[in-house]
Amino acid sequence: MSNKMWGGRFATGPDAIMEEINASIGFDQRLFRQDIAGSIAHATMLAETGILTQEDRDAIVAGLNEVLAEIESGSFTFSRALEDIHMNVESRLREKIGDAAGRLHTARSRNDQVATDFKLYVRDTIDTLVVQVHTLQLALANKAEDEAQTIMPGFTHLQSAQPVTFGHHLLAYVEMLGRDAGRLLDARKRLNESPLGSAAPAGTPYPINRERTAEQLGFDRPTANSLDAVSDRDFILETPAAASDLRHAFVALCRGNGDLELRPIRLRAPLRQIHHRQLDHAAKTQSRCRRTGPRQDRPDSGRTDVADRGDERPTARLFQGYAGR
């Protein structure tokens, strides 16, 4: 039988064109870590509920860790005939530990398995992106502190406006990136429910413990509805949409947020010696704000310089609030 996965009443395997269409291993092999982590959690739960013997569980976990090491080392050979990452891993596991590998698939389907793998992969990607965003925020905040005395023209409608500091300009990007990280974390919170145990697609008669597998994999809870769990792909659309805002922020950062030219000037003389027209404009703006008070929708209205705070705002305090978003 050439078709080892499906077999049944068919005397031969699928045509080559169908194998080409059905095989996803060229794409989903990158899910190997998540697939193996989900299988270890599932096997552990099956042993804890008495569905699987402890001996089988230990053999499965040891074998899966060996498969993981092979893939990470580059010695693992992926097979298109086995279609996807799940069957590639399980086939290799069977070669290592024998029939116990087949019992790993008890009380689950490739439907809930791929949904779980994909959620874990997207969640890991979000975590990596958020760390990178916060690292960039901190770098910008450090640079902003260094440039707290560097005067540059602000821009409005692509024209020079009142003077600001280069540090104040950089902190605008810290705020933008903070919102981007917040959108990613919001998407993460929504996706962080475990589909494992939903099977295909109406659950399983085995007395499994979905809360236990969700806990092992770091999910907040199991999904509430098995039909929705195996068909949900909203998180796959939402996360790239949230991440696309990062691209816009990076483009803005590279291009100066639409400014035609950034001309920061290191302050070597008292502020009063800077071009009198800019100072006059800034003074009038500050005077107007003192009379009327700051606009409610713009708390910093009239403030042309963050240098007044000087050393009173070290980087740790400058950055306070961003890392926790």
Side-chain angles (χ1 to χ4, degrees), residues 61-71 96-97:
V61 171
L64 286 171
N65 282 323
E66 290 179 15
V67 174
L68 177 62
E70 289 181 1
I71 298 176
K96 287 180 171 295
I97 68 172

Side-chain angles (χ1 to χ4, degrees), residues 43 52-53 55-60 90 93-94 97-106:
L52 199 66
T53 66
E55 291 75 17
D56 279 348
R57 181 266 175 195
D58 292 344
I60 288 170
E90 286 192 30
L93 181 65
R94 184 180 291 274
I97 68 172
D99 291 341
R103 291 189 276 277
L104 172 61
H105 213 59
T106 304

Side-chain angles (χ1 to χ4, degrees), residues 80-263:
R80 176 175 287 182
L82 294 172
E83 290 189 3
D84 57 32
I85 186 61
H86 324 302
M87 297 307 299
N88 270 266
V89 169
E90 286 192 30
S91 176
R92 181 63 175 141
L93 181 65
R94 184 180 291 274
E95 291 175 359
K96 287 180 171 295
I97 68 172
D99 291 341
R103 291 189 276 277
L104 172 61
H105 213 59
T106 304
R108 75 173 181 182
S109 164
R110 285 200 292 174
N111 296 46
D112 60 339
Q113 193 175 356
V114 68
T116 302
D117 289 1
F118 219 152
K119 280 196 169 185
L120 289 172
Y121 181 85
V122 172
R123 191 183 70 185
D124 291 345
T125 301
I126 289 174
D127 290 344
T128 299
L129 284 172
V130 169
V131 169
Q132 292 173 341
V133 170
H134 285 164
T135 300
L136 177 56
Q137 285 181 287
L138 182 57
L140 288 171
N142 280 325
K143 186 64 175 175
E145 187 177 22
D146 294 340
E147 302 293 341
Q149 300 271 355
T150 303
I151 303 301
M152 63 170 283
F155 282 80
T156 178
H157 299 87
L158 301 179
Q159 300 181 57
S160 295
Q162 66 189 108
V164 296
T165 67
F166 189 41
H168 193 60
H169 181 88
L170 291 173
L171 289 177
Y173 296 103
V174 176
E175 294 293 337
M176 295 178 208
L177 291 166
R179 290 191 296 272
D180 294 337
R183 278 184 280 270
L184 285 167
L185 290 172
D186 190 47
R188 186 193 194 280
K189 181 178 180 180
R190 245 186 309 282
L191 72 82
N192 203 34
E193 296 181 343
S194 174
L196 200 56
S198 298
T204 173
Y206 285 95
I208 61 173
N209 185 345
R210 296 187 64 215
E211 286 76 14
R212 179 67 177 123
T213 49
E215 176 188 9
Q216 290 183 80
L217 295 171
F219 287 111
D220 293 331
R221 63 190 70 83
T223 50
N225 183 279
S226 62
L227 293 172
D228 175 65
V230 297
S231 62
D232 173 28
R233 297 297 183 268
D234 292 351
F235 66 96
I236 301 173
L237 299 174
E238 182 179 11
T239 302
S244 70
D245 291 325
L246 284 173
R247 181 189 63 194
H248 298 152
F250 292 145
V251 169
L253 186 59
C254 292
R255 297 181 58 187
N257 197 24
D259 300 345
L260 293 179
E261 183 181 3
L262 295 180
R263 300 187 298 275

Side-chain angles (χ1 to χ4, degrees), residues 234-309:
D234 292 351
F235 66 96
I236 301 173
L237 299 174
E238 182 179 11
T239 302
S244 70
D245 291 325
L246 284 173
R247 181 189 63 194
H248 298 152
F250 292 145
V251 169
L253 186 59
C254 292
R255 297 181 58 187
N257 197 24
D259 300 345
L260 293 179
E261 183 181 3
L262 295 180
R263 300 187 298 275
I265 304 169
R266 180 68 63 183
L267 186 60
R268 300 182 185 279
L271 190 61
R272 64 177 178 273
Q273 295 181 19
I274 298 177
H275 197 281
H276 68 87
R277 290 180 61 188
Q278 289 184 319
L279 283 178
D280 182 59
H281 178 73
K284 288 179 180 178
T285 302
Q286 290 177 324
S287 176
R288 183 166 59 253
C289 288
R290 280 195 295 269
R291 293 196 305 271
T292 62
R295 283 173 50 179
Q296 295 302 311
D297 63 334
R298 192 178 298 169
D300 293 334
S301 179
R303 187 180 71 194
T304 62
D305 187 30
V306 296
D308 293 341
R309 287 187 292 274

